[in-house]
Amino acid sequence: GAVVSQHPSWVICKSGTSVKIECRSLDFQATTMFWYRQFPKQSLMLMATSNEGSKATYEQGVEKDKFLINHASLTLSTLTVTSAHPEDSSFYICSARKGSYNSPLHFGNGTRLTVT
Amino acid sequence: KQEVTQIPAALSVPEGENLVLNCSFTDSAIYNLQWFRQDPGKGLTSLLLIQSSQREQTSGRLNASLDKSSGRSTLYIAASQPGDSATYLCAATQGGSEKLVFGKGTKLTVNP
């Protein structure tokens, strides 16, 4: 199988603080990982594409200085929400492919972020 | 820009019924289309992936079809069970890239 692990599963933080979310591919190497955000009753929206060893590619409207992505190894990508605000409260999910672009995308279990 | 629509938004059926979930997409230049299942507060589980050259894929009680010319895909669930209750998401790749664009999902409830 292909397992993607995401940590933490939930986090509560105060406004102005930063939060780091980890995404690991446990049994395969992933040169590319994807970070999504999901608001209640909404679809998943791609935030950025994380590329191992290079800068992430951000979608239009996503602030790269606020959502810092680091893909330091072939099995780990991190998303840091800097200076979090209540409007950043959301469900963040990472995903990775085991193989080429025509391979299924495998998702972590997501991180529920609540900013108070 | 790829847009994905899923109808209906919610569906409730009695156990044992066969059902069809619908997905439409605007850009037919896709690499593939993927169906996922999402349980409340959880991540996504990949169900089926159909490559652009394929017409359908089957896994157990699930069958997904793809008609690129009409921009449609369906997910057929046979002999539904209460454990099938979840939100089903359809996602299509966007404009010659591997990025997936998701629909809002269909929330399925199978009543015992």
Side-chain angles (χ1 to χ4, degrees), chain B:
Chain B
K1 182 182 176 183
Q2 182 71 281
E3 293 182 7
V4 178
T5 304
Q6 290 186 247
I7 295 174
L11 180 64
S12 181
V13 300
E15 182 176 3
E17 192 162 298
N18 302 325
L19 59 101
V20 175
L21 306 180
N22 297 293
C23 171
S24 61
F25 49 95
T26 55
D27 183 357
S28 62
I30 61 172
Y31 285 146
N32 57 63
L33 182 142
Q34 200 165 350
W35 283 92
F36 297 88
R37 167 187 173 137
Q38 185 176 28
D39 293 288
K42 299 291 187 181
L44 279 65
T45 300
S46 176
L47 297 174
L48 290 165
L49 180 147
I50 311 177
Q51 297 183 21
S52 62
S53 59
Q54 297 174 325
R55 295 296 294 250
E56 67 177 348
Q57 281 288 319
T58 299
S59 175
R61 294 182 293 108
L62 305 179
N63 176 278
S65 69
L66 174 65
D67 183 344
K68 281 202 314 178
S69 61
S70 65
R72 294 181 181 178
S73 176
T74 62
L75 178 67
Y76 174 83
I77 302 177
S80 58
Q81 303 170 357
D84 295 330
S85 298
T87 296
Y88 290 80
L89 296 167
C90 167
T93 54
Q94 173 170 284
S97 80
E98 61 172 321
K99 297 178 186 178
L100 280 179
V101 177
F102 283 80
K104 290 186 177 181
T106 295
K107 184 176 181 181
L108 173 66
T109 302
V110 181
N111 301 301

Side-chain angles (χ1 to χ4, degrees), chain A residues 12-19 66 80-88 113-116:
Chain A
I12 301 173
C13 71
K14 293 186 177 181
S15 284
T17 61
S18 295
V19 174
K66 181 171 184 59
T80 301
V81 183
T82 63
S83 188
H85 290 280
E87 56 265 32
D88 297 325
L113 170 63
T114 302
V115 184
T116 60

Side-chain angles (χ1 to χ4, degrees), chain A:
Chain A
V3 180
V4 176
S5 174
Q6 194 171 335
H7 179 82
S9 56
W10 60 271
V11 58
I12 301 173
C13 71
K14 293 186 177 181
S15 284
T17 61
S18 295
V19 174
K20 180 184 285 188
I21 302 170
E22 292 187 348
C23 180
R24 296 180 184 271
S25 55
L26 296 186
D27 54 353
F28 66 100
Q29 294 182 331
T31 55
T32 303
M33 292 185 176
F34 302 92
W35 286 95
Y36 288 84
R37 180 167 51 184
Q38 185 179 34
F39 290 106
K41 300 189 185 301
Q42 297 296 314
S43 183
L44 274 75
M45 297 298 294
L46 180 64
M47 298 176 65
T49 301
S50 172
N51 305 297
E52 188 270 335
S54 65
K55 292 182 179 180
T57 305
Y58 290 82
E59 295 300 302
Q60 191 173 9
V62 178
E63 300 176 56
K64 62 180 181 180
D65 294 329
K66 181 171 184 59
F67 299 99
L68 301 180
I69 291 173
N70 184 22
H71 196 150
S73 76
L74 288 171
T75 59
L76 174 63
S77 175
T78 60
L79 168 67
T80 301
V81 183
T82 63
S83 188
H85 290 280
E87 56 265 32
D88 297 325
S89 299
S90 187
F91 192 56
Y92 294 85
I93 315 178
C94 71
S95 64
R97 291 188 195 280
K98 181 182 180 181
S100 71
Y101 62 85
N102 259 332
S103 303
L105 202 58
H106 297 279
F107 282 78
N109 274 334
T111 297
R112 171 71 61 191
L113 170 63
T114 302
V115 184
T116 60

